[in-house]
Amino acid sequence: SSGINAEYGGRITKGLLLNCFERVEMLDTCQEHLDSAEKFIGEELFKRVTAQHCVGLQDFKPEPNKYDMFWLQWVIIYLSDTDFITMLQRFKAGLREGG
């Protein structure tokens, strides 16, 4: 199973998603946050973080049918209505059947 975390920082990746999914990817606009994630999450758990994407939600293009879940928190408040709608359409295409 696979999830992607767009909460910026790693708390949800460490405290929730890595307890629920075999693999997790992280999405953040700040490379420093991504660079510090391994230390925060811990070396052993971090082995299951299969990718880190330094890109905004409005520009991220997930692979089709790859993910079981996208975790989105407060970060969506920074998107315009148009960007939010198109992001949801792209993320829907990235969900596996049943995701």
Side-chain angles (χ1 to χ4, degrees):
S1 59
S2 178
I4 190 163
N5 179 18
E7 58 92 21
Y8 299 144
R11 292 181 326 266
I12 298 299
T13 297
K14 179 180 180 178
L16 177 67
L17 298 182
L18 286 169
N19 293 313
C20 298
F21 295 96
E22 296 169 10
R23 295 172 308 283
V24 175
E25 296 182 20
M26 297 178 72
L27 175 65
D28 200 316
T29 59
C30 178
Q31 188 63 50
E32 289 178 28
H33 291 169
L34 294 172
D35 292 343
S36 65
E38 182 175 3
K39 182 178 179 183
F40 176 74
I41 292 169
E43 186 178 338
E44 193 61 34
L45 270 179
F46 192 76
K47 291 176 183 177
R48 295 179 26 230
V49 175
T50 57
Q52 293 179 308
H53 308 277
C54 188
V55 64
L57 290 172
Q58 69 276 12
D59 297 317
F60 181 67
K61 295 175 178 60
E63 293 179 41
N65 304 307
K66 181 175 182 180
Y67 303 98
D68 296 297
M69 187 198 73
F70 290 94
W71 184 272
L72 303 169
Q73 272 185 223
W74 57 270
V75 297
I76 61 173
I77 66 173
Y78 297 105
L79 296 176
S80 69
D81 291 347
T82 301
D83 285 342
F84 181 64
I85 291 167
T86 57
M87 179 215 67
L88 287 175
Q89 292 167 337
R90 286 192 318 272
F91 279 29
K92 180 182 176 186
L95 288 172
R96 291 182 188 168
E97 186 174 328

